[in-house]
Amino acid sequence: MLIVDDTGFIKKGSVSAGVQRQYSGTAGRIENCQIGVFAAYVSARGRALVDRELYLPKPWTDDRERCRAARIPEYRLFATKPELARAMVLRALGSALPVAWVTADAAYGQERGFRRVLEDAGVGYVLAVPKSQQVKTPAGSWRIDHVLTGAPDDAWERISCGDGAKGLRVYDWAAARLLAADDENGEAPTHHRWVLARHSLARPAEIAYHLAFAPHGTTVTELVRVAGSRWAIEECFQAAKNECGLDEYEVRRYVGWYRHITLAMLAHCFLAAMAAHAFEKGVAETVQAVSFPSPWRKCDGSWILPMSRQADRKHPSAGSTGRTGADDTKSSPGTATTGAARTSIG
């Protein structure tokens, strides 16, 4: 799974590449900062940041002299955050990474061009969208909140979207598959579009909306799982900043930013790989050993250990090396007690 999001880097001054007063999700307010758009890769074995782009606002790209002073290449023109995300998704799809799903918040999900790239590539997505998002239906174009307003009570299902910091994250979900016409060749579509709504159990009036594009046969539970995975990139940001110094830099030029961010991402990927390896090794070491039936038997209030050769062959220690010679051929009693006077040990 590929997750796209941006994060802010609080800065002072006005000469650092791309810096200006703009909204930072990290600070939760407008700050003087740089904004980086990132892609995180998530699998069952772990998660890590895998790509990045520095967002350059229009006041920067429109001032070529300022760009040259910050060593911003001439080919870097203005691009929106979704456009930067689209370029990273295309790079990921062209790489060796297996990508089955893409998810992102409403800043990216509301962009038709971003969704179109994924649909053309046949990649499933579950993208958050604002309640004003327009949805095309056979009856016309509707706001997504109006589409789901008439959902019956039994359309809402209580489903967990994965573990969170405080345990399972359980919400009520309503999902509807949009009707899709057959393609031009008359063949049934391999993917379908969906609309999803989610509200918390404590605040049912606050509803979040998603658009989804999924292979035929995908269940609502799977769509919910993908939607709930978006938080993983926030965990990546926190780990990369706290453990790898992603935001601890004093470089001002464009190339310096990319060098520092790339090195921090590499360290983060290394730590994620080492953690996955250690976890798998730990699982392998804790696998229970094959158990053998115990030859010990209880008789007349004491434990006895059969010593016949037939029992020896069945016991896991049979075949171990020991003294050889005539002494080994001497007859032995059929049983031996665990003590000279058959002292009970049980």
Side-chain angles (χ1 to χ4, degrees):
M1 187 183 307
L2 203 67
I3 308 173
V4 175
D5 201 359
D6 53 78
T7 188
F9 303 91
I10 307 299
K11 303 292 288 183
K12 295 181 179 180
S14 59
V15 297
S16 297
V19 69
Q20 74 168 24
R21 288 190 59 80
Q22 53 192 327
Y23 179 78
S24 167
T26 306
R29 59 183 182 273
I30 295 177
E31 283 281 358
N32 195 61
C33 63
Q34 295 170 299
I35 298 293
V37 181
F38 290 82
Y41 187 74
V42 177
S43 74
R45 301 181 65 189
R47 54 186 63 92
L49 300 173
V50 294
D51 206 348
R52 73 285 174 259
E53 288 289 357
L54 178 63
Y55 171 67
L56 299 176
K58 273 190 174 182
W60 272 88
T61 56
D62 289 346
D63 188 343
R64 301 317 302 180
E65 185 61 33
R66 190 183 186 191
C67 286
R68 280 190 287 271
R71 298 297 189 269
I72 298 173
E74 293 291 334
Y75 62 79
R76 272 302 306 266
L77 305 177
F78 175 74
T80 65
K81 296 171 188 175
E83 288 173 338
L84 296 176
R86 190 189 318 170
M88 290 191 293
V89 167
L90 290 174
R91 284 200 292 264
L93 296 179
S95 71
L97 286 175
V99 178
W101 295 96
V102 173
T103 184
D105 66 17
Y108 303 90
Q110 66 183 336
E111 291 292 329
R112 172 59 184 153
F114 184 66
R115 301 195 306 271
R116 184 61 181 269
V117 165
L118 299 174
E119 292 179 8
D120 290 345
V123 177
Y125 62 70
V126 181
L127 302 170
V129 293
K131 64 181 181 180
S132 60
Q133 179 68 41
Q134 294 293 310
V135 177
K136 291 184 178 180
T137 71
S141 182
W142 298 72
R143 280 172 50 127
I144 192 170
D145 57 343
H146 294 168
V147 171
L148 293 163
T149 296
D153 291 341
D154 58 359
W156 292 91
E157 299 180 75
R158 192 153 294 179
I159 307 174
S160 169
C161 59
D163 290 328
K166 299 180 180 180
L168 289 178
R169 294 170 295 151
V170 179
Y171 299 92
D172 284 339
W173 296 81
R177 183 166 61 85
L178 300 176
L179 294 177
D182 293 351
D183 62 19
E184 297 178 356
N185 298 324
E187 299 177 356
T190 59
H191 289 69
H192 296 281
R193 295 188 182 94
W194 293 73
V195 290
L196 287 87
R198 182 206 74 200
H199 69 68
S200 70
L201 307 185
R203 297 181 297 276
E206 298 179 9
I207 303 178
Y209 299 94
H210 298 77
L211 286 178
F213 178 75
H216 177 73
T218 302
T219 64
V220 175
T221 301
E222 178 70 359
L223 296 177
V224 169
R225 182 190 69 84
V226 176
S229 298
R230 200 179 76 225
W231 65 272
I233 193 169
E234 299 295 340
E235 187 179 75
C236 287
F237 288 148
Q238 183 178 5
K241 290 180 179 182
N242 292 345
E243 302 170 12
C244 306
L246 185 73
D247 59 345
E248 296 178 8
Y249 60 86
E250 296 180 0
V251 297
R252 294 180 175 179
R253 294 178 177 177
Y254 179 88
V255 175
W257 186 89
Y258 273 90
R259 286 175 175 171
H260 175 87
I261 295 298
T262 304
L263 183 59
M265 286 171 51
L266 178 61
H268 182 235
C269 286
F270 175 79
L271 292 177
M274 292 296 291
H277 177 73
F279 176 79
E280 292 172 356
K281 182 180 179 182
V283 170
E285 290 177 347
T286 56
V287 173
Q288 292 185 352
V290 178
S291 61
F292 294 94
S294 174
W296 291 61
R297 299 291 182 267
K298 196 169 186 178
C299 180
D300 297 332
S302 63
W303 289 95
I304 62 174
L305 185 63
M307 297 297 290
S308 67
R309 293 195 178 278
Q310 184 177 1
D312 288 344
R313 287 193 294 270
K314 293 181 179 179
H315 196 272
S317 62
S320 60
T321 60
R323 293 175 59 238
T324 59
D327 290 342
D328 292 333
T329 62
K330 291 181 180 180
S331 59
S332 60
T335 60
T337 62
T338 58
R342 294 172 60 90
T343 303
S344 173
I345 62 172

